[in-house]
Amino acid sequence: MVNETQHSCSGSSSSRSDGGSSSGSEGSKDSSRCSTPVLDADRHERLREKMRRRQEAGDKWFSLEFFPPRTANAAVNLISRFDRMGAGGPLFIDVTWHPAGDPGSDKETSSMIIANTAVNYCGLETILHMTCCNQTKDDITGHLQKAKRLGLKNIMALRGDPTGEEWEEEVDGFNHAVDLVKHIRNEFDDYFDICVAGYPKGHPEAESYEADLRHLKEKVFAGADFIITQLFFRPETFLKFMKDCQAIGITCPIIPGIFPIQGYHSLRQLVKLSKLEVPQEIKDVIEPIKDNDAAIRNYGVELAVSMCRELLDSGMVHGLHFYTLNREVATTEVLKRLGLWKEDPRRPLPWAVSAHPKRRVEDVRPIFWASRPKSYIYRTQEWDDFPNGRWGNSSSPAFGELKDYYLFYLKSKSPREELLKMWGEELTGEESVFEVFTCYITGEPNRNGYKVTCMPWNDDPLATETNLLKDQLEKVNRRGILTINSQPNINGKPSTDPIVGWGPSGGYVFQKAYLEFFTSSEIVTALLKVLKKYELRVNYHIVNVKGQNITNAPDLQPNAVTWGIFPGREIIQPTVVDPVSFLYWKDEAFALWIEQWAKLYEEESPSRMIIQYIHDNYYLVNLVDNDFPLENCLWQVVEDTFELLN
Amino acid sequence: MVNETQHSCSGSSSSRSDGGSSSGSEGSKDSSRCSTPVLDADRHERLREKMRRRQEAGDKWFSLEFFPPRTANAAVNLISRFDRMGAGGPLFIDVTWHPAGDPGSDKETSSMIIANTAVNYCGLETILHMTCCNQTKDDITGHLQKAKRLGLKNIMALRGDPTGEEWEEEVDGFNHAVDLVKHIRNEFDDYFDICVAGYPKGHPEAESYEADLRHLKEKVFAGADFIITQLFFRPETFLKFMKDCQAIGITCPIIPGIFPIQGYHSLRQLVKLSKLEVPQEIKDVIEPIKDNDAAIRNYGVELAVSMCRELLDSGMVHGLHFYTLNREVATTEVLKRLGLWKEDPRRPLPWAVSAHPKRRVEDVRPIFWASRPKSYIYRTQEWDDFPNGRWGNSSSPAFGELKDYYLFYLKSKSPREELLKMWGEELTGEESVFEVFTCYITGEPNRNGYKVTCMPWNDDPLATETNLLKDQLEKVNRRGILTINSQPNINGKPSTDPIVGWGPSGGYVFQKAYLEFFTSSEIVTALLKVLKKYELRVNYHIVNVKGQNITNAPDLQPNAVTWGIFPGREIIQPTVVDPVSFLYWKDEAFALWIEQWAKLYEEESPSRMIIQYIHDNYYLVNLVDNDFPLENCLWQVVEDTFELLN
């Protein structure tokens, strides 16, 4: 490529050709942040730009549709599903809007909160559906404002199903999706990317197929950026529809909605709602096997794969939208068979990047929250600026307080009874706590036969990377070095490494060995003596619940413990041991003993008093081995400490 | 060390206990820059703080005194001497003030400009002497303002020798050094560190030794920070003086002035001026050998070493100040014998750090000026901010223009005749230019028997590091790849490595291989074809004098090509290939063909037209091999290019 001399800053500002001027304040913020190394162009792009770029690059994509769950437990499961299915690399997910379910509320199960969680905590590009009929302008504006505040950037504008039997159009009301599109563009200018629905067979209520196409064109010309279609059963249905759209001047992307048949009853239900007719050839296959779920699902996968292949082969289709029905298996299977599922989802950074527009420049985090990323996001949600490229003292604003422990995405996935089974119905001393930690590391059942699959500081089983350290971790936990976070040293592995890699390909990633644990003051005393021998090599921070802090870190500077070197870029150092934020993390780490563990037991009970004793008397320690090219010396440090104690 | 919880920024702000409030604007600037990783505490300290810290650490130091030269050529030599003697690690140097030599002017040889060069271009902590008698208050204030503007932070306040025969004290005038000390503190608050002179034998004009001690105390109590003494011949002279000072309440550092005898005549001259008496035991040795310079110098070294040892052994002396007489050998020898000369001067960064207070946070520079650091400093002298920790597009202000080519510290050290001998009295074609480049690389004499020791882009012979690449460089220069800058790849060498190391010990340094050269458009065409094969691995920028720019760099981002990982610190990336500044460098790099080379020849002469042709038609190319752990592929790229051309 040949560029003329260009001294200006080539940022990511978006200029929209088809109407609407871009919001001034957003634009100027961008340019002042131009110095952030752009690891992942995606993070700086709007959804419509991502779509365009993928299409131009001939890079096929997929997206996933979910509906909000009915119960809080189901919500927790759905969020885990977002994490798992997000790993396959969807371009976006969307969350439907159920007027009956109080969709704009703060309930754990509302469409708004589920979409918020997907964007902010799972880091997924997300479209929130929104319907308009039977709602006031103020209600709708309120929903949109809230969505914007939460970091949602994309709206699927729908009419919604009239609730009354005899619905009539209201004068000045929102009677059609096009009214909602116009309203969004009027009130929010170009802030949102807008999606609208297309009906390959025509909307069931439309006067005609042609009239419905004209409605669709109106929606697009009112400001919609792309179209997702209703499901259909034959590829030619979609391809004809697409040609018809183009013929009347609709040029925006049209994404086919794919519905893998997953069961007899869900199919019938859907057909009833959508008023679609199932083709005879499909009925003929399904009817005889209608009681065999697995057989139907296999057939559905087969059918969907063959339809998707035909669509992609047509050259007219660049992305596929899946109606998942909140299920995982069938859609994942179809995507894997199509080769669209990313088997090796490259992480842009070592931690999951939030998709909130405010956070798109975020590229440094303290290592302490490595196992509690959602808590970190929650506690930093009020920040206006994120350390971009550098975690300096001056750029670390105050952390949010610890008051909302019971916020649903912060609490443990497991109910009290399960936790008691894992962590002990009755503790007999500090040693029984050591045992719990050890069982969590080894994966072996505890003395009552239960596996310890989570800890107050780690809601998930041991990470693959931590598994590399398993033997040593087991040894030290048995003896009262209660580890809650660790990473091995890495001396320049390719950025594509399946376990420790992150960032664009062609790079190299590095780590300093890290170990974080709770331990008694006796062990700390011995440890400090041992650390004198390692003075130049090992940095430590040792703090108790009262905030008494012992460290050899120079000038409270952060210590970079994960970094990457990439072609044509500045060095990225996404994880640091930051002395200032450690003291905020300390509050959280100690509080988890009480909030998640001690409170499982009766007040004044011996078990509770044991945890309380640990909380009051133990120290939280972190160690960094700065000599990353050599063998990790932290195990030797611990070994020396135990020896000194004997 | 035990710190209580401390969320605040522990910066380097100085609070002075003995008078004067620190300047507000300086202080606040500091705190807003707290996020810069502090590689070298020295850079953030005032001279008096450095002294205190060295004394507390029991770390002995030395300083060097120079006088301003008489001619511009002598100035160029003195500056080279600053660079060489600066490498030995003086705590500071000082430059004397010669009222007869227009010391505050902009002349190349003025005290002001020599001190300015030492601070800004040689990166040395510098004290500027200043005398006050026979000068108006306005003159003196003007000098001080100018010194401050140039980045000088330390003044040696002296009375100076009265010029008239019958000098009389002026009412309200500056009659004594103490008046100057008071004036500096009145007008500039605590901005400057102030040094005053002490006379171990009493000032020759003082009424008595005791009266002189009282004068000294006045100077200190008026605001002086430390004392440097007049020379003396016996250690006991100094030690008695020091005790007498302490007895009357002088507590600031007192630094003995050491004068290694370097020759018979200079000793006699000095004795005459200082009105000191040379002890008989020294006269007895010197008189018999007075015509043997080497013998006198050897004796002088011997004498100085033994006196310095006695002073240091007394436990009362922490630093030694050397009267160098602008000579190198004797002082260096004394310092080496004392073990004070740093044999391995650790570089804080890969390039020489300027000592200007504005630049103390500077820790990133484009690689292009690697061989022309003084030009870089000159062209960025108007910057208010320096990229601190990151060279982003938004943080690169405009570079100064190229108008002042003849500024004395930017021009070649060699006179025209010498340059013609090296670069050719008469060029016969582009090949004769290739030859000049090749001879510079190999160190072999050119066809007329002259060694090429400098080039327009490199005023010094090849750097040790570049020597590692000598064979390959020779090969490519012969064939018209005219290299002006290069570095090998380094995959984690200790920061103490004598050739490529920099920064504090215990760290590791890295480099990406870099090659920069001029070459013809034919070669560029072939090169671009070859580079397609290396698309992911090699980043390039190719530009001609008109600014036509070909690159595969993503989004005009800088590419870090030198970085270091240190214990307890963020990653430092002090050298980058920055696409924006490359276009400023391009102007300079092309202009040097004309300004330094073409203009050696008559207008319209064939030699001049050859250089002009190259200037007008060649491209400036830089290549970075991003795969630093592998063998440098840039030689293969060049090899492939030549093959394609054959």
Side-chain angles (χ1 to χ4, degrees):
Chain A
M1 100 199 77
V2 175
N3 303 327
E4 283 307 297
T5 306
Q6 187 181 355
H7 286 197
S8 74
C9 165
S10 113
S12 61
S13 72
S14 67
S15 64
R16 192 161 186 260
S17 54
D18 53 335
S21 71
S22 83
S23 146
S25 68
E26 275 287 307
S28 64
K29 243 190 208 163
D30 289 353
S31 63
S32 77
R33 282 173 169 172
C34 201
S35 64
T36 299
V38 181
L39 252 186
D40 176 10
D42 261 18
R43 289 168 69 192
H44 289 256
E45 279 176 339
R46 306 178 63 132
L47 179 51
R48 65 189 180 209
E49 287 162 8
K50 293 185 194 180
M51 254 179 226
R52 190 176 53 219
R53 197 164 53 85
R54 296 282 284 261
Q55 176 169 343
E56 282 167 7
D59 189 6
K60 308 296 186 200
W61 52 265
F62 68 94
S63 51
L64 303 170
E65 182 162 316
F66 299 93
F67 55 80
R70 301 223 175 145
T71 66
N73 265 351
V76 170
N77 290 334
L78 183 60
I79 292 165
S80 305
R81 183 153 293 163
F82 286 174
D83 285 338
R84 285 192 304 273
M85 295 189 81
L91 186 65
F92 62 86
I93 71 155
D94 58 329
V95 178
T96 61
W97 185 264
H98 286 209
D102 204 356
S105 75
D106 286 334
K107 285 200 303 196
E108 299 157 355
T109 54
S110 79
S111 302
M112 186 72 81
I113 294 303
I114 293 294
N116 164 52
T117 306
V119 166
N120 289 298
Y121 296 92
C122 306
L124 296 169
E125 181 80 57
T126 302
I127 302 178
L128 176 63
H129 289 219
M130 210 173 268
T131 62
C132 61
C133 76
N134 291 324
Q135 289 183 81
T136 69
K137 199 176 256 195
D138 285 352
D139 281 348
I140 288 172
T141 304
H143 290 325
L144 289 163
Q145 277 166 343
K146 183 168 182 176
K148 183 176 174 183
R149 211 164 51 238
L150 294 174
L152 291 157
K153 297 166 294 183
N154 313 295
I155 300 289
M156 173 105 177
L158 299 163
R159 186 192 70 179
D161 296 317
T163 43
E165 281 289 304
E166 287 175 35
W167 176 66
E168 279 181 32
E169 299 201 358
E170 293 171 51
V171 185
D172 272 353
F174 290 95
N175 297 311
H176 299 286
V178 67
D179 301 325
L180 180 52
V181 174
K182 284 178 186 164
H183 179 70
I184 298 174
R185 285 284 171 251
N186 280 340
E187 300 284 319
F188 294 86
D189 200 356
D190 198 36
Y191 178 80
F192 290 106
D193 279 16
I194 302 176
C195 173
V196 292
Y199 299 87
K201 286 277 195 184
H203 192 279
E205 292 173 22
E207 309 92 87
S208 68
Y209 176 77
E210 288 70 28
D212 194 47
L213 277 183
R214 283 194 302 274
H215 289 315
L216 181 57
K217 183 174 175 178
E218 269 180 61
K219 291 195 279 191
V220 171
F221 278 62
D225 296 291
F226 51 93
I227 297 162
I228 295 178
T229 77
Q230 177 59 290
L231 65 94
F232 51 89
F233 293 101
R234 290 181 182 132
E236 54 271 27
T237 309
F238 175 82
L239 295 173
K240 172 182 185 301
F241 170 70
M242 189 148 179
K243 278 176 204 145
D244 293 338
C245 286
Q246 288 172 343
I248 62 163
I250 297 174
T251 58
C252 71
I254 305 176
I255 304 142
I258 309 296
F259 174 73
I261 297 170
Q262 306 198 43
Y264 186 73
H265 294 288
S266 62
L267 177 63
R268 276 187 43 142
Q269 174 74 2
L270 202 97
V271 164
K272 203 175 115 194
L273 283 174
S274 64
K275 294 176 183 147
L276 287 174
E277 212 172 301
V278 180
Q280 194 56 45
E281 70 269 22
I282 296 180
K283 282 189 192 156
D284 288 348
V285 178
I286 283 184
E287 282 296 338
I289 55 170
K290 65 179 178 185
D291 296 322
N292 185 341
D293 283 355
I296 289 191
R297 199 169 62 201
N298 285 344
Y299 171 67
V301 166
E302 211 57 59
L303 200 64
V305 167
S306 105
M307 184 162 80
C308 290
R309 286 220 174 104
E310 204 162 321
L311 291 170
L312 293 172
D313 289 347
S314 74
M316 296 173 73
V317 170
H318 307 282
L320 301 166
H321 185 71
F322 284 84
Y323 294 105
T324 67
L325 304 184
N326 287 14
R327 293 187 200 157
E328 216 167 323
V329 181
T331 302
T332 307
E333 178 66 17
V334 172
L335 286 166
K336 285 183 175 169
R337 301 256 305 262
L338 291 170
L340 291 179
W341 186 263
K342 271 208 232 164
E343 284 303 335
D344 167 28
R346 186 75 44 73
R347 295 178 294 171
L349 286 170
W351 31 265
V353 180
S354 171
H356 194 294
K358 256 197 342 192
R359 297 187 89 113
R360 65 185 184 185
V361 296
E362 181 184 22
D363 58 11
V364 192
R365 284 189 189 171
I367 193 170
F368 318 120
W369 281 269
S371 301
R372 293 177 60 77
K374 292 183 172 72
S375 164
Y376 182 74
I377 292 168
Y378 178 71
R379 293 190 66 185
T380 58
Q381 65 186 341
E382 299 301 328
W383 290 10
D384 287 325
D385 273 311
F386 289 89
N388 55 344
R390 151 150 302 161
W391 183 280
N393 293 327
S394 66
S395 55
S396 66
F399 282 78
E401 289 197 18
L402 273 168
K403 55 191 176 191
D404 285 305
Y405 250 127
Y406 294 103
L407 257 180
F408 108 101
Y409 28 68
L410 295 185
K411 72 178 183 196
S412 175
K413 272 185 287 200
S414 315
R416 180 172 178 273
E417 313 76 60
E418 236 174 85
L419 295 177
L420 280 170
K421 282 179 189 159
M422 291 196 271
W423 302 344
E425 305 273 355
E426 218 182 305
L427 303 173
T428 52
E430 292 167 60
E431 278 71 21
S432 38
V433 174
F434 301 177
E435 262 183 54
V436 175
F437 275 85
T438 310
C439 288
Y440 173 71
I441 296 291
T442 60
E444 302 291 318
N446 63 18
R447 62 176 57 191
N448 299 316
Y450 294 101
K451 288 201 178 183
V452 181
T453 58
C454 68
M455 292 294 285
W457 306 269
N458 306 67
D459 217 17
D460 294 304
L462 226 51
T464 330
E465 194 197 32
T466 317
N467 253 313
L468 303 172
L469 310 171
K470 207 163 156 176
D471 292 349
Q472 285 107 330
L473 287 170
E474 178 187 350
K475 231 159 79 181
V476 305
N477 276 283
R478 272 194 203 291
R479 302 174 72 174
I481 298 259
L482 307 177
T483 60
I484 60 169
N485 195 355
S486 58
Q487 69 175 22
N489 57 320
I490 304 289
N491 185 16
K493 289 236 179 163
S495 58
T496 49
D497 184 280
I499 297 176
V500 298
W502 53 272
S505 58
Y508 293 91
V509 299
F510 293 80
Q511 290 180 181
K512 291 180 179 176
Y514 179 75
L515 191 61
E516 183 181 340
F517 52 86
F518 289 100
T519 201
S520 67
S521 62
E522 293 72 37
I523 292 184
V524 163
T525 306
L527 177 66
L528 277 168
K529 279 189 196 129
V530 168
L531 282 169
K532 285 215 176 76
K533 280 198 302 178
Y534 295 85
E535 187 57 42
L536 286 168
R537 181 160 175 184
V538 176
N539 278 115
Y540 54 87
H541 294 271
I542 302 176
V543 68
N544 65 6
V545 73
K546 294 179 216 84
Q548 204 187 16
N549 189 20
I550 311 165
T551 178
N552 68 345
D555 311 320
L556 290 190
Q557 288 190 63
N559 190 350
V561 292
T562 308
W563 63 99
I565 318 294
F566 299 97
R569 288 196 162 80
E570 290 186 85
I571 286 141
I572 316 291
Q573 44 174 338
T575 321
V576 295
V577 169
D578 171 55
V580 176
S581 65
F582 182 59
L583 297 173
Y584 289 96
W585 164 246
K586 176 265 295 179
D587 293 340
E588 184 169 335
F590 276 102
L592 286 163
W593 280 107
I594 304 299
E595 296 298 325
Q596 290 220 11
W597 200 335
K599 289 191 176 168
L600 294 176
Y601 309 108
E602 298 288 311
E603 279 191 56
E604 310 288 332
S605 67
S607 294
R608 184 149 178 175
M609 282 164 72
I610 288 164
I611 301 294
Q612 185 74 49
Y613 175 84
I614 290 178
H615 170 269
D616 296 347
N617 293 284
Y618 273 38
Y619 282 79
L620 179 62
V621 178
N622 76 54
L623 303 176
V624 176
D625 176 4
N626 288 298
D627 241 334
F628 62 95
L630 310 182
E631 204 188 337
N632 179 355
C633 75
L634 300 180
W635 306 115
Q636 193 58 49
V637 169
V638 175
E639 198 53 51
D640 292 357
T641 304
F642 287 135
E643 243 169 58
L644 190 65
L645 282 168
N646 286 348
Chain B
M1 98 200 77
V2 176
N3 303 327
E4 281 309 296
T5 306
Q6 189 181 352
H7 287 196
S8 74
C9 165
S10 114
S12 61
S13 73
S14 68
S15 65
R16 193 161 186 259
S17 54
D18 53 335
S21 70
S22 81
S23 146
S25 70
E26 273 288 307
S28 64
K29 244 189 207 165
D30 288 353
S31 61
S32 77
R33 282 173 169 170
C34 202
S35 63
T36 299
V38 182
L39 254 186
D40 176 11
D42 261 19
R43 288 168 69 193
H44 289 258
E45 280 176 338
R46 305 179 63 133
L47 179 50
R48 64 190 181 209
E49 286 162 8
K50 292 185 195 180
M51 256 180 224
R52 191 176 53 220
R53 197 164 53 85
R54 296 283 284 262
Q55 175 169 343
E56 283 167 8
D59 190 6
K60 308 297 185 199
W61 52 265
F62 69 94
S63 52
L64 303 169
E65 182 163 316
F66 299 93
F67 54 80
R70 302 224 174 142
T71 65
N73 264 351
V76 170
N77 289 333
L78 182 61
I79 292 166
S80 303
R81 183 152 291 164
F82 286 174
D83 285 338
R84 285 192 304 272
M85 294 189 80
L91 186 65
F92 62 87
I93 70 154
D94 59 328
V95 177
T96 62
W97 184 264
H98 287 209
D102 203 357
S105 75
D106 285 334
K107 285 201 302 196
E108 297 158 354
T109 54
S110 79
S111 302
M112 186 72 81
I113 293 304
I114 292 295
N116 164 51
T117 306
V119 166
N120 288 298
Y121 296 91
C122 306
L124 296 168
E125 182 80 57
T126 303
I127 302 179
L128 176 62
H129 289 220
M130 210 172 269
T131 63
C132 61
C133 77
N134 292 323
Q135 288 184 80
T136 68
K137 199 176 256 194
D138 285 353
D139 281 348
I140 288 171
T141 304
H143 290 326
L144 290 163
Q145 277 166 343
K146 183 168 182 174
K148 183 176 174 182
R149 210 166 49 239
L150 293 174
L152 290 157
K153 298 166 294 184
N154 313 294
I155 299 290
M156 172 106 178
L158 298 163
R159 186 191 70 179
D161 297 316
T163 43
E165 281 290 302
E166 287 176 35
W167 176 65
E168 278 181 33
E169 297 200 358
E170 294 171 49
V171 186
D172 272 355
F174 289 95
N175 298 309
H176 300 285
V178 67
D179 301 325
L180 179 53
V181 175
K182 285 178 185 163
H183 179 70
I184 297 174
R185 284 284 171 250
N186 280 340
E187 299 284 318
F188 294 87
D189 200 357
D190 199 36
Y191 178 79
F192 290 105
D193 280 15
I194 301 176
C195 174
V196 292
Y199 298 87
K201 288 276 195 185
H203 191 279
E205 292 171 24
E207 311 92 87
S208 67
Y209 176 75
E210 288 71 29
D212 194 47
L213 277 183
R214 284 195 301 274
H215 289 316
L216 181 58
K217 184 173 173 177
E218 269 181 62
K219 292 195 280 190
V220 172
F221 277 63
D225 296 290
F226 52 92
I227 296 163
I228 294 179
T229 77
Q230 178 58 290
L231 64 94
F232 50 89
F233 293 101
R234 291 180 181 132
E236 54 271 25
T237 309
F238 176 82
L239 295 172
K240 173 181 183 303
F241 170 70
M242 189 146 179
K243 278 175 203 146
D244 294 337
C245 285
Q246 288 172 347
I248 63 163
I250 296 174
T251 57
C252 71
I254 305 176
I255 304 141
I258 309 297
F259 174 73
I261 297 169
Q262 306 198 44
Y264 186 73
H265 294 287
S266 63
L267 176 64
R268 277 188 40 145
Q269 174 74 3
L270 203 98
V271 164
K272 204 175 116 193
L273 284 174
S274 64
K275 294 174 181 148
L276 287 174
E277 214 174 301
V278 180
Q280 193 56 45
E281 70 268 20
I282 296 181
K283 281 189 193 157
D284 289 347
V285 177
I286 283 185
E287 283 297 335
I289 54 169
K290 67 178 178 186
D291 296 322
N292 184 341
D293 282 357
I296 289 190
R297 201 170 61 200
N298 286 343
Y299 171 67
V301 167
E302 211 57 60
L303 200 67
V305 168
S306 105
M307 184 161 81
C308 291
R309 284 219 174 105
E310 204 162 321
L311 290 171
L312 295 171
D313 289 348
S314 74
M316 296 172 74
V317 171
H318 307 281
L320 300 165
H321 184 71
F322 284 83
Y323 294 106
T324 67
L325 305 184
N326 286 15
R327 294 188 199 154
E328 215 166 323
V329 181
T331 302
T332 307
E333 177 67 17
V334 172
L335 287 165
K336 285 183 175 170
R337 301 256 305 264
L338 291 170
L340 291 179
W341 186 264
K342 271 207 232 163
E343 284 303 335
D344 166 28
R346 185 76 43 74
R347 295 178 296 170
L349 286 171
W351 30 265
V353 180
S354 171
H356 194 294
K358 256 194 348 190
R359 298 188 88 112
R360 65 187 184 186
V361 295
E362 181 184 21
D363 59 9
V364 192
R365 285 189 189 170
I367 194 171
F368 317 120
W369 280 269
S371 299
R372 293 177 60 77
K374 293 182 172 71
S375 164
Y376 182 75
I377 292 169
Y378 178 72
R379 293 190 65 185
T380 59
Q381 65 186 341
E382 298 302 330
W383 289 10
D384 287 325
D385 274 310
F386 289 88
N388 55 344
R390 152 149 302 160
W391 183 281
N393 293 328
S394 66
S395 55
S396 67
F399 282 78
E401 289 195 20
L402 273 169
K403 56 191 173 189
D404 285 305
Y405 249 126
Y406 294 104
L407 256 181
F408 108 100
Y409 28 69
L410 295 185
K411 73 178 182 194
S412 174
K413 270 185 288 202
S414 314
R416 180 171 178 271
E417 312 77 58
E418 239 175 82
L419 296 178
L420 280 171
K421 281 179 191 160
M422 290 196 273
W423 301 344
E425 305 273 356
E426 218 183 306
L427 303 173
T428 53
E430 292 168 59
E431 278 71 21
S432 38
V433 172
F434 300 177
E435 261 183 56
V436 174
F437 275 85
T438 309
C439 288
Y440 173 71
I441 298 292
T442 59
E444 302 290 319
N446 63 18
R447 62 175 58 189
N448 299 315
Y450 293 101
K451 287 201 178 184
V452 181
T453 57
C454 67
M455 292 293 285
W457 307 269
N458 305 68
D459 216 17
D460 294 304
L462 227 51
T464 330
E465 194 197 32
T466 317
N467 254 312
L468 303 172
L469 309 172
K470 206 163 157 175
D471 291 349
Q472 286 106 329
L473 287 170
E474 179 188 348
K475 232 160 78 180
V476 305
N477 276 283
R478 272 194 205 292
R479 300 174 73 173
I481 299 261
L482 307 177
T483 60
I484 60 169
N485 195 354
S486 58
Q487 69 175 22
N489 57 320
I490 304 288
N491 186 15
K493 288 236 178 163
S495 58
T496 50
D497 184 279
I499 296 175
V500 298
W502 53 272
S505 58
Y508 293 91
V509 299
F510 293 79
Q511 290 180 181
K512 291 181 179 175
Y514 179 74
L515 191 61
E516 184 181 340
F517 53 86
F518 289 100
T519 202
S520 66
S521 63
E522 293 71 40
I523 292 184
V524 163
T525 307
L527 177 66
L528 278 168
K529 279 189 196 130
V530 169
L531 282 169
K532 285 216 175 78
K533 280 198 303 179
Y534 294 86
E535 188 57 43
L536 286 169
R537 181 160 176 185
V538 176
N539 278 114
Y540 55 86
H541 294 270
I542 302 176
V543 67
N544 65 7
V545 72
K546 295 179 216 83
Q548 203 186 18
N549 189 20
I550 311 165
T551 178
N552 67 344
D555 311 320
L556 289 190
Q557 288 191 63
N559 189 351
V561 292
T562 308
W563 64 100
I565 318 295
F566 300 97
R569 289 197 162 78
E570 291 185 85
I571 286 140
I572 316 290
Q573 44 174 338
T575 321
V576 296
V577 169
D578 171 55
V580 176
S581 64
F582 182 59
L583 298 173
Y584 289 96
W585 163 246
K586 176 266 295 179
D587 294 339
E588 184 169 335
F590 276 103
L592 286 164
W593 281 108
I594 303 301
E595 297 298 327
Q596 291 219 11
W597 200 335
K599 289 191 176 168
L600 295 176
Y601 309 108
E602 299 287 312
E603 278 191 54
E604 308 289 332
S605 67
S607 295
R608 183 149 179 174
M609 282 164 70
I610 287 164
I611 301 295
Q612 185 74 49
Y613 175 83
I614 290 177
H615 171 271
D616 295 347
N617 293 284
Y618 272 38
Y619 282 78
L620 179 62
V621 178
N622 76 53
L623 304 176
V624 176
D625 176 4
N626 289 298
D627 240 336
F628 61 95
L630 311 183
E631 205 188 337
N632 179 353
C633 75
L634 300 181
W635 305 116
Q636 194 57 50
V637 169
V638 174
E639 199 54 52
D640 292 356
T641 304
F642 287 135
E643 243 169 58
L644 190 65
L645 281 168
N646 288 346

